[in-house]
Amino acid sequence: QQDEAFPTCETEVIEADVAELGVKTSKPKAHPLAQFSLLGHAQEVEKQTVEQKPVLGEVALLGQATVWYAAPNTGKTLIALSLLIQSIQRKVIDPAKVFYINVDDSGSGLLQKLRLADEFGFHMLAEGYRDFQAENFLGCLIELIEADEASGVIVILDTVKRFTNLMDKTMSSKFTKVIRRFVVKGGTVLGLAHTNKRVGQDGKPVYGGTSDVLDDIDCGYTLAAIAQGPDATHKVIEYCCIKRRGNVANTAAYT
């Protein structure tokens, strides 16, 4: 029997319209944590990170949040200004990126510090001037964070109690949450705060407020005057570290 040749036919593939058939298709979902992963983003983080070098003597590092606790009139403001000016003079920091927020001072005290700011080129902010209010502070930090402009900015808060309620755990945690975001993006914060009226069993000062601020910051110090003789013409302030991250001094003293 002779094989018959089969004619060649054209072929057309027609796909079914899934939508018209009502068939549901599932797309692979992104992992809920993987979508936030920084894997492969090291260069992006590096751009925001600053070198953790001493910025205020040996008791505060660039790129960290630090709080100094001291009783009123101990000298924490004076020392902060002195160490700040020394760092500016040594060109360790850019004064144009320093913001000293003074919300715990008299008019004459503000004027005296403002003259120092004018001389050395750092910013001074105070309530009642140029519409600044302490309650606007966290909003300003969030703007810097979201605009990726926090890196290298140094903020000194005098005093911390004007920006949050140190006795309220919830408010303190909300405050330090924003501070942490700011520091992670390369910002630096020094907060000046008060100690309790009573000293601890070891005779040393005890930080004021709940533990939330100290728990959430990088470094903390208590400050106290060292006893001097009756003829002393100066005061020596001892710093004792109560929380430490990085290469800061365990103890230090300033005259």
Side-chain angles (χ1 to χ4, degrees), residues 107-231:
S108 59
L110 171 62
L111 179 59
Q112 186 179 32
K113 296 175 182 65
L114 181 56
R115 285 173 174 157
L116 289 174
D118 287 342
E119 181 179 354
F120 294 99
F122 62 92
H123 297 279
M124 180 76 63
L125 284 68
E127 284 191 315
Y129 289 92
R130 302 185 65 83
D131 298 326
F132 177 75
Q133 298 292 330
E135 61 190 23
N136 304 140
F137 169 67
L138 290 183
C140 293
L141 278 199
I142 291 172
E143 286 186 29
L144 289 172
I145 294 165
E146 294 179 345
D148 285 335
E149 294 178 353
S151 184
V153 176
I154 300 171
V155 176
I156 299 176
L157 303 178
D158 192 357
T159 62
V160 175
K161 71 176 183 179
R162 294 296 303 275
F163 300 92
T164 187
N165 185 349
L166 295 173
M167 301 302 294
D168 187 298
K169 295 178 69 66
T170 300
M171 291 184 67
S172 294
S173 294
K174 288 181 179 179
F175 172 77
T176 54
K177 183 177 180 180
V178 178
I179 296 296
R180 177 55 51 200
R181 289 176 60 195
F182 177 69
V183 168
V184 166
K185 284 295 188 77
T188 303
V189 176
L190 170 65
L192 307 183
H194 292 139
T195 52
N196 287 331
K197 293 181 179 179
R198 295 182 180 179
V199 298
Q201 294 181 350
D202 57 1
K204 294 184 178 180
V206 178
Y207 64 87
T210 68
S211 65
D212 297 86
V213 170
L214 187 63
D215 290 342
D216 295 340
I217 61 168
D218 298 298
C219 292
Y221 286 89
T222 57
L223 285 62
I226 297 176
Q228 302 290 305
D231 298 328

Side-chain angles (χ1 to χ4, degrees), residues 11-34:
T11 302
E12 181 181 359
V13 178
I14 301 176
E15 296 182 358
D17 190 333
V18 176
E20 289 185 1
L21 295 176
V23 178
K24 295 182 179 180
T25 58
S26 59
K27 296 181 179 179
K29 294 182 179 179
H31 190 284
L33 292 178

